[in-house]
Amino acid sequence: MSDPGVQASIHKNLKTTLPRVYNYINSTRFREVNLVDRLYPDSKPVELSHWALPGGSGAWEGWSFAEITQQTFSPTSIGSSYGPTWTTHWFRLVFTIPDEWAGSEVQLRWSSNSEAAVWSEDGKILQGLSTGDPDARRSCYTITTNHQAGQGGPYTFYVEMAVNKLLGASEGDLIDPPSPDVYYTVSRAEVARLDGVVYKLTRDLEVLHQLAEKLIDLNDQRGYQALYTANQMVNSIIAGEDSVASSLADEYFSKGNGSRSHTLATIGNCHIDSAWLWPYTETKRKVARSFSSQLALMDRYPEHIFVASQAQQWAWCKEYYPELYARVLERVAEGRFLPVGSTWTEMDGNIPSGESFIRQFLHGQRFFKKELGITCNEFWLPDTFGYSAQIPALMNHMGLKRFLTQKMSWSLVNRFPHHNFTWEGIDGSTVLAHFPPGDSYSMQVTVEEAVKTERNLQDKGRASTSAFLFGYGDGGGGPTQDMLEKIQRLKDSDGCPRMSMMTPDQMFTQLESEQHNFCRWVGELYLELHNGTYTTHAAMKRLCRQTEFELRDAELLLCQAVATLGSQGASQLLQESLTTLEGAWHKLLLNQFHDVLPGSGIAMIYPEAQVLYNEAIQAAITVRDNAAAAVFGNAGEKTEVLVNTLPWARTEVVTVGGSKAGAGSYAMVSVPSMGIASPTSLTPTSPVSVTEVDGKYVLENGMIHAEIDSFGRVTSLKVVGDERDVFQPPSYQTSETTEEMYGNQLMLYDDEPLYWDAWDVMDYHLETPVVLNDGKSGYTITAPVIVENSALICSVRWGVTFGSSTLTQDIQLTADSPLLTFLTSVTWGENRKFLKTVQSTSLHSNKASFDIQFGHLERPTHMNTSWDSARYEICGHKWADISEPDWGVAVLNDSKYGWMARGHTLALSLLRSPKAPDASADIGDHTFKYALFPHLGTLQQAGVMKRGYEFNTPILHLQAPADRGEETWVDVTGEGVVLHTVKPAEDGSGEIVLRLYECNGTRSKVTLNLKWPVTSVKACDGMEVAGSDIPFTQEEGVTSVPLAFTPFAIRAVRLTLQ
Ligand SMILES: [Zn+2]
């Protein structure tokens, strides 16, 4: 049935009717006879003057609005240009509004072809502006919606112009490094009268045209109804009957959907990358521009709800824009401006440690609770490059059951089969996961997007609601007035899925009511793209790992100080240290942002991130040393004491009486679990030796036997007493596999991705291996020489020069250690090359294991399916292991995250050399270490995870009175549980939170033994909220707490001390 009152076009000619409608709102052609030039019937220029804020990026942070407006502004005019890149320019705009404009909406129209913000004369940031190519996203500010005669001013406003665009300052391709010397031209600065009727008709025609185009394409007759309505509107407008045209549109949009139609939960948001193609300092302004724009929209659209993630960005708003923040809080109180996502930043989803993930939630939620009185109920991470298999358990630990992302739609090979599913982690815990089926977090509110969202949904018949996240993103901005107007027309328009403004809470509540219909996905959400980010910008990874471990040490020492002094006696130290630690964690958490830690940002981000990391490390060391001084006291003569912060006893070779790098003497020492010992040298039970035999170097220590050839490769690696060799085929090997087996083959691959340079390593890189150290590549090898040869430590040094790079390695074995360690220095100067150390082993296994956050993950070593095949570069933390049931080899590292496990080969990725968006990424000097650990039994029986911790947690050398003997502060009896975290409760109460996890994937019962004056032990969650009492016993000053764990379970307990 046709719409009554609608006159169809005379001719059945879609090729003319459809473009005719579009041409009537076309801003590039026919504008003087269509609606476009009618939109602003009157305008007048403003009086414009300019002041250049001195300095470049971030200089604005040193200036208050009052200081700025007191500067001398010089008259300027339209057509003038301002720069260079990252500078700031202020404009004063003075104008009057004519009485003849009474009754109309009056706007300030601006274009500087850059990002900008409008400020009031009294220093309020009113709204962001984003103008210029490719589209003017926000180019006007409404001064009044209803001008009154006699109130024509004069008015004064200010515009703050940033010399960068929404997505940075590249004049070439999006991800090219920013151009250093761009100037942008102010091409418009005027006040104008808006014709409200024309604005409405424009939006009506825009939406009707989209409906016609999309639905006709789907051969849906409702598209023709939209088309004929629009066509008749054009005829009416031409006839001078705007009101008839308006009524036709209203009538069309009043026809609703059937009751089973799909609902799009329209959620206004702006994804602001905390740094990407711009530095942190610009993000602070992006937050202010975006937030102020949303407040302006809320004044006008009562239904508008906006969500903002990343507590860090809220904290920036509070610090740098307190007046704006106060206005945001008013809308928060109304439930319209909402925090979302729970976390401090939207972090990388693979690389941060388990504890870092928990602190992302802890600091994010604490901020939102304290500042806004709100606790988020979801984890919101739309734009990260893959998601660890441990995330469901970490979320459960934090009391969260809802997860949202859309990035999996970027996978290059396999289409993820669900948009709604129950996601199960490695411990069996589950969360509800939702992917917006429109595959975007920055919808523009088009019919095309709405229909795509419904038709793309992988769970048809199972889910009635899908998220539709709208608003400009990446560079910020958020929803615009046009988007809200389009939602008003499409909220229930027959043929297009329903749109309903919802909070994330409302949307997830709806999805939870349907969760019984959803399928289950177990394990990681592996993104089949961007897997070069496990390696790019090696310093970010190294410093992240180091900061995580330094903070761990500091928190343990601080707890020991609290236990020593009592919570009263330690009160001042505790409060000061908690403040210091909070600052340090915030720096670490910020640097884990998903373009900083992955290495996918522009060059200027990284020196600042390094400073933040180093400040965090220094803060941790300060807290640690102050705490140690409190533990050990200040009286008496001091001497060196060794501190082991791991929850098991360690015996190893360390340097004593000097710096680790210096020629100080070596000692074999033993330090108890989470405790101290004097640096007394023990006699090793397994002294080490190195000998040269026929050009090969044999390193042996009674535990392992290794042979190094003249190219620095490992040709033999065995557990002493066991005939099986990691790098030699067994004697009964058939002739089918004659491949040479070596350890530490340094392989260089060509590394030219399809587009995303810093992000991607493509599958075809594996077709281009060059072995640097096999004598065939022609590179200059510096043959091995013995550089250390004692009963405690033996080292062989070799090197290779290749391309524009050099690499030097000390291959080291110490007494009583099963690790063959490679201490590596590289001067790296390559272009699109990828360096790995490849272990081509004799082991036969269809799977390999990888250390991840608070547990480990098994992945196939074969390419049976397209899913297996696509995982050619994968993420792991401190170690990976390939084992047969009763022996195997693990590879340990101190700062790397990229791996490959294929067949019998286990490769660790070392360095990349992408050129965009940072042409200098990773060029320069690097030091890192990795180790081979041949073992008997399973990785669990061999204690691979313990070795991984030891490799990353050096025994500390601190100062204590000479009479301090050996002490154990905390230990764990029983196997399989790692006491990872010992920290003061975040609330400053002096209570202590311990976090433990089951690391073997088995059921484990252990007893936690604390030499502390414990008065109560309670279970708690990651938010540190105390729950039920846990029984404990006390004897001779030791509190013993029995704890049981299911496989990979994460548990926390909260202690009260005297
Ligand atoms: Zn992002």
Side-chain angles (χ1 to χ4, degrees):
M1 185 175 128
S2 66
D3 279 344
V6 173
Q7 177 67 55
S9 60
I10 295 173
H11 302 98
K12 281 189 175 177
N13 189 353
L14 200 57
K15 289 179 186 166
T16 58
T17 318
L18 192 59
R20 183 226 186 173
V21 170
Y22 179 72
N23 268 348
Y24 217 68
I25 50 172
N26 187 338
S27 59
T28 54
R29 306 197 67 190
F30 308 113
R31 55 181 301 152
E32 67 278 16
V33 289
N34 66 18
L35 285 180
V36 174
D37 277 355
R38 287 180 56 196
L39 192 59
Y40 292 102
D42 301 296
S43 67
K44 55 185 294 239
V46 301
E47 191 186 314
L48 193 64
S49 54
H50 161 256
W51 174 71
L53 190 144
S57 174
W60 65 271
E61 292 187 25
W63 291 80
S64 71
F65 182 82
E67 289 167 339
I68 287 162
T69 52
Q70 283 162 20
Q71 303 303 310
T72 303
F73 281 63
S74 309
T76 188
S77 57
I78 300 300
S80 305
S81 298
Y82 303 92
T85 318
W86 309 121
T87 56
T88 295
H89 296 266
W90 280 84
F91 298 87
R92 183 182 287 140
L93 288 68
V94 181
F95 55 87
T96 57
I97 303 173
D99 281 352
E100 301 83 75
W101 295 6
S104 290
E105 175 167 343
V106 178
Q107 295 183 349
L108 184 61
R109 300 183 74 205
W110 173 269
S111 179
S112 52
N113 296 288
S114 74
E115 289 210 272
V118 188
W119 291 72
S120 69
E121 193 177 10
D122 60 353
K124 277 187 190 172
I125 183 167
L126 298 172
Q127 189 197 286
L129 295 164
S130 186
T131 53
D133 295 333
D135 49 354
R137 297 179 174 197
R138 208 182 302 270
S139 57
C140 56
Y141 169 75
T142 297
I143 298 164
T144 171
T145 55
N146 184 9
H147 177 57
Q148 304 292 313
Q151 295 187 5
Y155 292 97
T156 301
F157 285 83
Y158 287 86
V159 171
E160 177 193 20
M161 172 189 177
V163 184
N164 56 269
K165 292 182 186 289
L166 195 74
L167 296 179
S170 161
E171 291 199 300
D173 189 74
L174 171 72
I175 63 168
D176 283 350
S179 312
D181 201 26
V182 296
Y183 281 72
Y184 295 127
T185 302
V186 174
S187 55
R188 177 183 285 135
E190 64 184 25
V191 279
R193 181 171 76 83
L194 178 87
D195 186 322
V197 173
V198 173
Y199 179 77
K200 176 185 182 296
L201 293 173
T202 305
R203 295 285 85 75
D204 288 341
L205 284 176
E206 182 184 7
V207 175
L208 285 166
H209 178 261
Q210 289 179 3
L211 282 165
E213 191 170 43
K214 186 67 207 174
L215 296 180
I216 289 171
D217 188 47
L218 297 172
N219 208 17
D220 184 326
Q221 58 90 20
R222 289 170 293 193
Y224 290 89
Q225 294 173 345
L227 178 65
Y228 296 146
T229 301
N231 189 58
Q232 191 179 348
M233 283 177 68
V234 174
N235 289 337
S236 300
I237 296 166
I238 291 170
E241 296 172 336
D242 286 354
S243 62
V244 172
S246 180
S247 301
L248 282 164
D250 293 346
E251 174 67 17
Y252 183 91
F253 291 122
S254 71
K255 303 284 171 58
N257 278 284
S259 57
R260 283 199 174 82
S261 79
H262 198 66
T263 297
L264 309 184
T266 48
I267 299 173
N269 80 122
C270 70
H271 178 82
I272 307 180
D273 287 322
S274 287
W276 179 33
L277 302 173
W278 52 88
Y280 287 137
T281 184
E282 197 53 38
T283 307
K284 296 166 188 171
R285 293 203 289 193
K286 284 175 176 290
V287 169
R289 291 190 283 257
S290 303
F291 284 16
S292 60
S293 297
Q294 298 314 308
L295 292 182
L297 279 177
M298 283 179 190
D299 290 343
R300 198 154 178 187
Y301 292 85
E303 75 277 19
H304 182 38
I305 294 168
F306 178 74
V307 301
S309 65
Q310 314 197 65
Q312 170 71 82
Q313 296 187 357
W314 290 70
W316 278 335
C317 183
K318 182 183 181 191
E319 181 179 354
Y320 292 92
Y321 298 89
E323 184 280 328
L324 170 64
Y325 189 67
R327 284 187 283 137
V328 167
L329 293 186
E330 290 172 21
R331 293 304 190 191
V332 170
E334 294 169 8
R336 297 176 61 197
F337 200 122
L338 294 169
V340 70
S342 311
T343 57
W344 187 255
T345 60
E346 289 187 17
M347 76 298 271
D348 180 88
N350 283 306
I351 297 173
S353 70
E355 193 62 33
S356 283
F357 266 96
I358 282 167
R359 302 303 173 98
Q360 287 280 2
F361 292 112
L362 182 64
H363 287 272
Q365 294 282 47
R366 282 180 60 83
F367 179 89
F368 290 138
K369 182 71 184 169
K370 177 165 172 253
E371 290 288 325
L372 317 176
I374 291 176
T375 302
C376 298
N377 291 317
E378 67 291 305
F379 180 23
W380 184 273
L381 197 57
D383 187 33
T384 285
F385 315 146
Y387 303 86
S388 164
Q390 188 61 295
I391 286 175
L394 294 165
M395 286 178 60
N396 272 273
H397 190 62
M398 304 310 295
L400 295 168
K401 298 291 278 183
R402 300 162 164 184
F403 173 71
L404 180 143
T405 185
Q406 65 80 42
K407 200 68 180 185
M408 293 299 289
S409 66
W410 284 48
S411 275
L412 209 55
V413 180
N414 296 287
R415 186 180 184 199
F416 197 81
H418 316 295
H419 286 105
N420 300 278
F421 57 101
T422 296
W423 183 17
E424 180 181 316
I426 59 172
D427 70 334
S429 56
T430 61
V431 297
L432 168 61
H434 176 69
F435 300 170
D439 298 342
S440 172
Y441 47 74
S442 50
M443 293 290 198
Q444 311 291 299
V445 191
T446 65
V447 172
E448 173 76 32
E449 293 165 341
V451 171
K452 178 188 174 185
T453 298
E454 181 183 16
R455 296 176 83 89
N456 204 34
L457 175 66
Q458 299 266 39
D459 318 298
K460 293 188 183 73
R462 299 171 185 267
S464 64
T465 306
S466 296
F468 186 88
L469 310 180
F470 73 100
Y472 287 112
D474 295 327
T480 61
Q481 179 180 0
D482 289 359
M483 294 176 194
L484 296 176
E485 288 284 337
K486 285 187 274 185
I487 289 174
Q488 285 184 347
R489 286 158 179 77
L490 287 171
K491 63 188 175 196
D492 194 11
S493 177
D494 191 13
C496 188
R498 264 202 197 91
M499 291 187 179
S500 175
M501 290 281 193
M502 287 191 203
T503 63
D505 250 350
Q506 290 167 330
M507 182 198 71
F508 273 111
T509 300
Q510 178 60 36
L511 291 174
E512 277 166 352
S513 75
E514 298 166 317
Q515 193 175 357
H516 57 279
N517 287 324
F518 299 163
C519 298
R520 183 174 285 237
W521 180 270
V522 178
E524 69 182 321
L525 301 179
Y526 178 80
L527 180 63
E528 295 167 354
L529 201 71
H530 291 1
N531 36 17
T533 59
Y534 315 147
T535 304
T536 304
H537 266 292
M540 291 296 105
K541 279 72 173 173
R542 176 174 53 78
L543 288 163
C544 178
R545 177 88 60 90
Q546 189 187 346
T547 311
E548 288 172 341
F549 278 97
E550 294 282 5
L551 284 165
R552 184 182 174 280
D553 286 355
E555 289 177 345
L556 170 68
L557 266 293
L558 183 56
C559 290
Q560 181 60 26
V562 172
T564 305
L565 304 180
S567 24
Q568 286 296 330
S571 176
Q572 191 186 345
L573 174 72
L574 180 65
Q575 301 313 323
E576 288 171 5
S577 300
L578 279 172
T579 303
T580 306
L581 288 171
E582 183 178 53
W585 273 106
H586 286 176
K587 289 168 184 169
L588 171 63
L589 300 177
L590 173 59
N591 278 347
Q592 290 174 345
F593 177 75
H594 66 254
D595 285 306
V596 178
L597 182 54
S600 48
I602 58 173
M604 66 196 292
I605 292 173
Y606 295 100
E608 187 182 1
Q610 291 217 18
V611 167
L612 294 179
Y613 272 130
N614 288 327
E615 287 173 357
I617 289 167
Q618 200 48 54
I621 290 171
T622 301
V623 167
R624 184 197 75 191
D625 289 350
N626 290 344
V631 170
F632 300 130
N634 289 317
E637 193 156 326
K638 295 285 184 62
T639 183
E640 186 175 5
V641 64
L642 303 177
V643 180
N644 170 24
T645 61
L646 293 176
W648 53 79
R650 297 162 71 175
T651 299
E652 57 192 64
V653 173
V654 297
T655 48
V656 292
S659 69
K660 183 118 187 165
S665 58
Y666 292 106
M668 164 74 72
V669 298
S670 187
V671 194
S673 163
M674 290 188 170
I676 62 170
S678 64
T680 311
S681 194
L682 310 169
T683 306
T685 41
S686 305
V688 61
S689 66
V690 58
T691 50
E692 188 192 346
V693 184
D694 298 335
K696 281 194 177 180
Y697 291 81
V698 178
L699 293 148
E700 193 171 305
N701 65 359
M703 297 179 83
I704 68 166
H705 167 101
E707 294 177 16
I708 313 298
D709 73 5
S710 57
F711 302 111
R713 295 179 298 188
V714 185
T715 55
S716 172
L717 186 66
K718 293 191 283 193
V719 175
V720 168
D722 191 82
E723 64 172 5
R724 293 170 294 189
D725 194 320
V726 173
F727 298 115
Q728 291 293 324
S731 54
Y732 47 83
Q733 180 89 39
T734 67
S735 58
E736 282 171 35
T737 49
T738 54
E739 189 180 333
E740 291 179 325
M741 295 167 181
Y742 292 105
N744 198 39
Q745 298 171 89
L746 289 160
M747 289 206 190
L748 198 64
Y749 297 84
D750 201 66
D751 186 16
E752 294 173 49
L754 296 175
Y755 176 72
W756 296 99
D757 208 347
W759 292 258
D760 289 353
V761 55
M762 310 312 300
D763 48 11
Y764 52 75
H765 84 282
L766 292 169
E767 298 172 32
T768 62
V770 172
V771 184
L772 297 179
N773 56 340
D774 67 354
K776 298 174 195 160
S777 60
Y779 294 122
T780 307
I781 303 278
T782 307
V785 291
I786 296 171
V787 290
E788 282 178 302
N789 188 355
S790 73
L792 291 181
I793 188 161
C794 290
S795 295
V796 171
R797 180 171 297 163
W798 75 282
V800 57
T801 300
F802 56 98
S804 304
S805 307
T806 57
L807 179 148
T808 307
Q809 266 187 341
D810 283 4
I811 305 176
Q812 191 177 79
L813 186 64
T814 60
D816 285 4
S817 167
L819 307 187
L820 184 67
T821 301
F822 301 80
L823 303 155
T824 310
S825 301
V826 185
T827 300
W828 182 243
E830 300 306 303
N831 186 340
R832 272 80 166 211
K833 298 292 180 190
F834 194 175
L835 180 67
K836 305 184 187 187
T837 175
V838 178
Q839 325 308 323
S840 178
T841 77
S842 65
L843 287 146
H844 174 74
S845 178
N846 290 333
K847 59 180 170 46
S849 303
F850 299 85
D851 179 44
I852 62 169
Q853 298 83 357
F854 294 158
H856 63 270
L857 183 67
E858 290 182 347
R859 297 185 177 108
T861 55
H862 55 70
M863 295 163 60
N864 277 3
T865 69
S866 60
W867 296 82
D868 303 326
S869 170
R871 279 187 278 188
Y872 53 85
E873 180 75 12
I874 46 191
C875 188
H877 287 197
K878 302 182 292 295
W879 55 265
D881 182 277
I882 183 165
S883 287
E884 294 173 12
D886 55 356
W887 76 298
V889 66
V891 179
L892 281 54
N893 75 81
D894 70 343
S895 58
K896 302 296 174 189
Y897 295 87
W899 301 85
M900 182 195 71
R902 279 281 163 86
H904 55 168
T905 296
L906 185 58
L908 173 64
S909 301
L910 301 176
L911 290 169
R912 295 187 69 222
S913 44
K915 300 300 172 195
D918 177 6
S920 59
D922 280 319
I923 300 306
D925 295 334
H926 300 265
T927 57
F928 50 85
K929 61 177 183 174
Y930 52 90
L932 300 181
F933 172 25
H935 60 80
L936 302 182
T938 63
L939 69 91
Q940 288 89 346
Q941 289 161 343
V944 169
M945 52 288 287
K946 285 187 179 179
R947 298 296 183 183
Y949 273 103
E950 291 167 5
F951 202 66
N952 283 275
T953 314
I955 289 174
L956 302 174
H957 299 248
L958 302 178
Q959 294 291 310
D963 57 357
R964 259 340 244 240
E966 192 173 292
E967 296 174 15
T968 302
W969 301 330
V970 183
D971 74 359
V972 179
T973 47
E975 285 300 312
V977 171
V978 176
L979 169 57
H980 182 277
T981 304
V982 180
K983 73 181 286 290
E986 213 66 31
D987 60 13
S989 60
E991 297 188 352
I992 291 181
V993 173
L994 310 181
R995 193 166 358 266
L996 310 92
Y997 70 94
E998 202 289 321
C999 69
N1000 284 340
T1002 60
R1003 279 156 208 272
S1004 298
K1005 281 185 178 175
V1006 296
T1007 302
L1008 182 62
N1009 306 300
L1010 306 139
K1011 275 202 183 151
W1012 290 346
V1014 175
T1015 57
S1016 97
V1017 182
K1018 290 181 187 295
C1020 75
D1021 63 4
M1023 289 304 299
E1024 307 183 352
V1025 177
S1028 56
D1029 284 314
I1030 298 176
F1032 60 93
T1033 57
Q1034 288 180 317
E1035 198 172 337
E1036 293 177 1
V1038 177
T1039 300
S1040 295
V1041 188
L1043 295 168
F1045 289 75
T1046 50
F1048 293 124
I1050 303 168
R1051 291 187 64 178
V1053 298
R1054 186 169 170 134
L1055 311 174
T1056 310
L1057 306 185
Q1058 265 171 14

